[in-house]
Amino acid sequence: MDSCYEIDGMIPVVDPTAFVHSNAILIGDVIIGPGCYIGPAASLRGDFGRIVVQEGANVQDTCVVHGFPGVETVIGPDGHIGHGAVIHGAQIGRNVLVGMNAVVMDRAEIGESSIIGAAAFVPEGKKIPARSLAVGTPARILRELTDQEIDWKSRGTAEYQQLTRRSMASMKKVQPLTEIEANRPCYEDSSYQTLGQTK
């Protein structure tokens, strides 16, 4: 990858089964686990505290992950960090979804299988129990999630785990075409749709 940097002798670690886009930035004490997806323009700065992205998690486009000295920032297994989110010194539990442009601050703890709504702000030290839907600024717990909602989240994360494999197998830098080719195919419909929709 093009944007991986050592600092103070600390070099990022990326599992061979993880996909890190060439435009993502990894600095210092960053550990990317098996099957993870790190999207374009994501910035994971392990220049103060350690950053750990555990198995099957994804950190999408333009996300920022950082922390203070002595504080470990962890995204747990099957974690799902939506476009533009900021995770700073927080503990993101197993199977959590952090929505687009949400901010989760230092020493916050997000319990397993919770969803943090898009553009929510989780303040420093806030603890969100497992299976919670938290929304707003500052984030408040709206209710407990249903099994259907957790299943919806898990299917979305499975799509990103498949994207990891697709990206490793076929993504490459190319020049754009100058016109649309005849019979240009479309991607197949996904089983992961907006919550509440069915096929």
Side-chain angles (χ1 to χ4, degrees):
M1 58 177 291
D2 296 336
S3 302
C4 186
Y5 299 93
E6 173 183 354
I7 186 169
D8 299 327
M10 193 73 75
I11 300 173
V13 178
V14 178
D15 187 276
T17 63
F19 175 79
V20 178
H21 192 277
S22 62
N23 289 336
I25 298 171
L26 306 183
I27 300 172
D29 196 5
V30 176
I31 301 168
I32 308 296
C36 292
Y37 174 90
I38 310 297
S43 177
L44 289 77
R45 280 182 48 211
D47 47 15
F48 292 144
R50 175 170 293 173
I51 294 167
V52 181
V53 183
Q54 296 180 341
E55 184 171 2
N58 65 78
V59 178
Q60 298 172 20
D61 320 46
T62 73
C63 289
V64 174
V65 184
H66 193 235
F68 288 130
V71 176
E72 191 169 80
T73 304
V74 177
I75 298 168
D78 299 329
H80 192 106
I81 311 302
H83 314 288
V86 176
I87 311 296
H88 201 281
Q91 300 284 314
I92 308 298
R94 176 183 294 274
N95 201 41
V96 165
L97 166 61
V98 176
M100 291 181 267
N101 289 314
V103 176
V104 185
M105 292 299 293
D106 302 275
R107 292 179 290 280
E109 296 178 14
I110 312 301
E112 181 172 349
S113 297
S114 289
I115 294 177
I116 306 301
F121 177 79
V122 181
E124 180 177 356
K126 178 88 171 174
K127 291 179 172 49
I128 305 293
R131 296 180 60 102
S132 296
L133 174 61
V135 299
T137 304
R140 68 191 189 285
I141 298 166
L142 198 60
R143 59 177 172 79
E144 185 174 329
L145 290 167
T146 66
D147 290 342
Q148 179 190 19
E149 289 166 325
I150 294 171
D151 178 66
W152 169 83
K153 183 273 166 198
S154 296
R155 284 184 285 125
T157 301
E159 290 283 348
Y160 267 88
Q161 292 165 347
Q162 177 62 19
L163 179 59
T164 296
R165 295 185 287 273
R166 288 171 51 212
S167 297
M168 292 183 76
S170 69
M171 188 180 288
K172 58 186 177 183
K173 196 168 187 176
V174 296
Q175 292 296 314
L177 302 174
T178 57
E179 59 184 51
I180 301 171
E181 64 269 58
N183 301 315
R184 183 180 177 94
C186 294
Y187 287 112
E188 295 294 324
D189 286 341
S190 168
S191 62
Y192 173 67
Q193 299 177 356
T194 303
L195 186 60
Q197 291 184 346
T198 56
K199 287 190 120 177

